[in-house]
Amino acid sequence: DLRMSRGLGDVYKEGFAAFRRSDKVREVSTLAFAIYRKKVFGSVGFYNEKLVRTEDNEMHYRMRTAGYKFYFNPNIISYRFSRNSLYKLIKQKFLNGYWIGLTMGICPACFSLFHFVPFLFIISIIFCTILYLCGFKVFFIVLILSYLIVAILMALATYLRNRITCRFAVLLPLIFLLLHISYGIGTLVGLIKMPFWICYSSQEVNKMLGFDYQSFNFKNIHICDEVKMNLLYHILYYAVLSASGNIL
């Protein structure tokens, strides 16, 4: 209903991106609902139509790489309709995470570490659950208590900042958990399916170019080998960035 829509919209209008938290004209790294000059697309190319939910991330990365900058002006007001039910919001977060996982096969550098926090949370749950079943219960307990404390603090801050109802604020820790889990699982599923998605996309491109996969089976093997190397590169890429502390 409208009350749920407003409540969820207020809760999630904030974020780590500078344009969501700033109240002055300033340069930012990315924008939502941005306006571009036509000549920009002539320079960096058009949107990647393979991407369903992460096309802005990939496009903005190309723009930044080409030397373009983004400016935020709080006097420009945009309106959007948020999901009006918890189910729709959970589905949205899952698909957002899912497409982040898939897009890692095309442009891993267009994401920051913040995009993978829910994914790391899911990996931590799996790892700590295994340790719990093996008799090492302290890690699981510490993980749950840490998340619970942070979720309660976030709910309290949201209540004080956005003036939501007390009853809705009490439900926020559970809502946070559901959204983070759905987002993290979506990213995990996307990463698992990413090599096959790239392989399928490559096959579709070659079909458009006239290659016959029934007659040229070796091309399938070649593409899949490229996918494996591409996946290994992405893993090493983020491992090196993590070690050097250069992820922004």
Side-chain angles (χ1 to χ4, degrees):
D1 57 11
L2 182 60
R3 182 174 58 182
M4 173 65 77
S5 178
R6 287 176 177 174
L8 294 178
D10 287 340
V11 171
Y12 294 102
K13 70 181 179 181
E14 300 291 343
F16 290 108
F19 72 88
R20 298 184 185 276
R21 311 177 68 88
S22 181
D23 58 356
K24 61 181 180 180
V25 177
R26 56 173 295 186
E27 180 181 336
V28 294
S29 60
T30 188
L31 283 170
F33 322 117
I35 300 176
Y36 319 97
R37 294 184 181 275
K38 183 178 179 180
K39 66 178 183 180
V40 174
F41 295 103
S43 174
V44 304
F46 297 106
Y47 280 98
N48 187 336
E49 296 185 4
K50 293 181 182 178
L51 306 178
V52 176
R53 288 179 177 261
T54 51
E55 69 281 0
D56 286 342
N57 302 81
E58 193 268 343
M59 172 59 75
H60 288 180
Y61 171 75
R62 278 190 276 146
M63 289 179 178
R64 291 193 301 269
T65 302
Y68 292 103
K69 298 180 180 180
F70 298 92
Y71 284 92
F72 169 75
N73 189 332
N75 296 319
I76 300 175
I77 301 175
S78 301
Y79 296 92
R80 71 178 182 90
F81 293 96
S82 62
R83 271 62 175 179
N84 61 359
S85 71
L86 182 58
Y87 170 77
K88 292 180 180 180
L89 194 59
I90 289 175
K91 182 179 179 180
Q92 177 199 21
K93 295 303 179 182
F94 174 85
L95 291 175
N96 287 350
Y98 175 76
W99 275 98
I100 284 177
L102 291 182
T103 309
M104 280 292 291
I106 294 179
C107 184
C110 68
F111 299 116
S112 70
L113 181 61
F114 294 121
H115 288 95
F116 297 93
V117 171
F119 167 71
L120 295 176
F121 179 56
I122 292 297
I123 296 300
S124 299
I125 291 177
I126 296 173
F127 182 71
C128 291
T129 300
I130 294 175
L131 291 178
Y132 183 90
L133 296 176
C134 293
F136 301 97
K137 300 180 179 180
V138 62
F139 297 100
F140 184 84
I141 295 174
V142 169
L143 175 65
I144 298 301
L145 290 178
S146 299
Y147 183 88
L148 182 61
I149 292 173
V150 173
I152 291 175
L153 292 176
M154 289 175 60
L156 179 61
T158 302
Y159 172 73
L160 296 175
R161 183 173 61 248
N162 296 297
R163 299 179 181 179
I164 59 177
T165 64
C166 183
R167 182 172 62 178
F168 188 74
V170 172
L171 294 175
L172 280 182
L174 177 60
I175 295 176
F176 289 149
L177 178 63
L178 293 176
L179 295 182
H180 291 155
I181 288 178
S182 61
Y183 197 112
I185 292 177
T187 305
L188 178 60
V189 173
L191 287 172
I192 293 174
K193 294 182 66 175
M194 177 261 290
F196 307 99
W197 177 67
I198 296 177
C199 189
Y200 174 78
S201 299
S202 300
Q203 291 176 9
E204 289 299 308
V205 170
N206 283 328
K207 284 181 181 179
M208 292 175 62
L209 295 176
F211 290 108
D212 184 359
Y213 274 85
Q214 298 298 325
S215 303
F216 297 92
N217 291 327
F218 65 89
K219 283 192 174 293
N220 280 337
I221 299 175
H222 178 64
I223 289 176
C224 290
D225 286 341
E226 287 184 349
V227 169
K228 293 176 183 178
M229 294 302 297
N230 199 21
L231 178 60
L232 179 60
Y233 163 75
H234 294 152
I235 294 174
L236 293 176
Y237 177 87
Y238 267 87
V240 171
L241 286 182
S242 297
S244 60
N246 287 331
I247 295 183
L248 299 178

